[in-house]
Amino acid sequence: MTVFERLAGFSHRHRWTALIVWVVVLAALWAGASAAGDRYRQDHSLPGTESQRALELLTEHGSDQAGDSLEIVLHDAGGLERTEVRERVEAMLAEVAELPLVAQVRTPYEDGTAALSADGTVGYATVVLQVRSEQMAVADTQHLYDTASAAAGDGLRVELGGEAARALAESDGGGAEGAGIMAALVILVFMFGTVIAAGLPVITAVFAVGSTMAVIVLASHWFTIADYTPYVMMLVGLGVGIDYALLVFARFRSELVAGAGPEEASRRALDAAGRTVFFAGCTVILALLGLVALGLGSLQGMALGVALTVLVTMLASLTLLPALLAIFGARFARQFPARAARR
């Protein structure tokens, strides 16, 4: 008996335990990720290039150009006296200057107030950062924006501009991924004829991608992971997850039609299709890890994140899916009767 057959037998015997473990792991990881929050940041460094050496030289000599800047833009609709506007702006800029990753706050006036237009309705100030925009975590940018926005109200508006501020306006996505899952589910329903049979590959992929996403959120506090990494992970994870689970389930259904019982069909499916999933997953992981050798900042974090997604997806296809097949095995045996029974 091969390793894959033993794994299928173990998952079949301990079907509920396997399912509960996956649910608990997913819930625990997301509880920790929700409490910790993410700290995505980008690193566009290009080791060995002249531009990278120039940037390192500027940083070494403490040049302000080593970091980027943000602009605080103010607009007063006329609801406040100019003196009150001045007081609010001065207090706000003093707080912003004390924030982490802020090198200094520049204003055209020597008294530290933001530059105001002739009618006193528009003003601005430049916040010089200690880091590049791509290295500025979204949480830090949000904190800066919240501090600046404290001066708003009574007709006074405060907005943030600059490269780092763009991340605050980006949507969290989710619509495209949801549409993709629904499209895959519809196609699988046409293939297998039932929602339950079509849903198992999707459920397996969602569990795998969801668990890995939570791990990446936590890992972003210790490793440089770009903010676009989760989108790439979802794209690859859902596609690979449904593909791997579909290979196993299609073979499982073929074995049922050939006359095997649910447990025997699961063993044969994992022994044949499980091998394909294992070697295909290992090949993809090795290929992704090859990107790490390039040494390109955020690309390393993305490669590791996607490789981890494929690894967890492969594990889910070899452990969670056989457990689900065991739970619904009797129903599938009725839905896909053996050929001999139909003759």
Side-chain angles (χ1 to χ4, degrees), residues 14 22 41 43-44 64 66 76 78 83 94 114 116 169 176 195 215 218 221 244 252 275 330 342:
H14 304 281
W22 272 96
R41 53 196 182 277
D43 179 11
H44 293 162
D64 291 337
D76 180 24
T83 303
L116 297 173
V195 176
V215 173
L218 295 172
H221 290 269
Y244 288 174
F252 174 79
R275 293 173 184 267
R342 299 201 299 267

Side-chain angles (χ1 to χ4, degrees), residues 255-279:
E255 294 296 337
L256 287 179
V257 173
E263 183 174 0
E264 183 63 23
S266 179
R267 291 177 183 272
R268 294 179 182 177
L270 222 63
D271 185 45
R275 293 173 184 267
T276 304
V277 169
F278 178 77
F279 288 107

Side-chain angles (χ1 to χ4, degrees), residues 2-25:
T2 65
V3 175
F4 297 97
E5 289 179 303
R6 293 193 185 96
L7 186 59
F10 180 84
S11 298
H12 191 277
R13 292 191 302 272
H14 304 281
R15 63 197 76 172
W16 291 109
T17 301
L19 179 59
I20 291 172
V21 167
W22 272 96
V23 171
V24 170
V25 168

Side-chain angles (χ1 to χ4, degrees), residues 237-268:
L238 291 175
V240 170
I242 293 175
D243 182 36
Y244 288 174
L246 188 58
L247 283 173
V248 176
F249 183 78
R251 184 57 185 262
F252 174 79
R253 187 188 68 162
S254 298
E255 294 296 337
L256 287 179
V257 173
E263 183 174 0
E264 183 63 23
S266 179
R267 291 177 183 272
R268 294 179 182 177

Side-chain angles (χ1 to χ4, degrees), residues 96 98-102 130 136 140 143-144:
V96 170
E98 298 298 325
L99 293 178
L101 303 183
V102 174
Q130 297 176 355
M136 186 81 168
D140 292 327
H143 187 198
L144 195 154

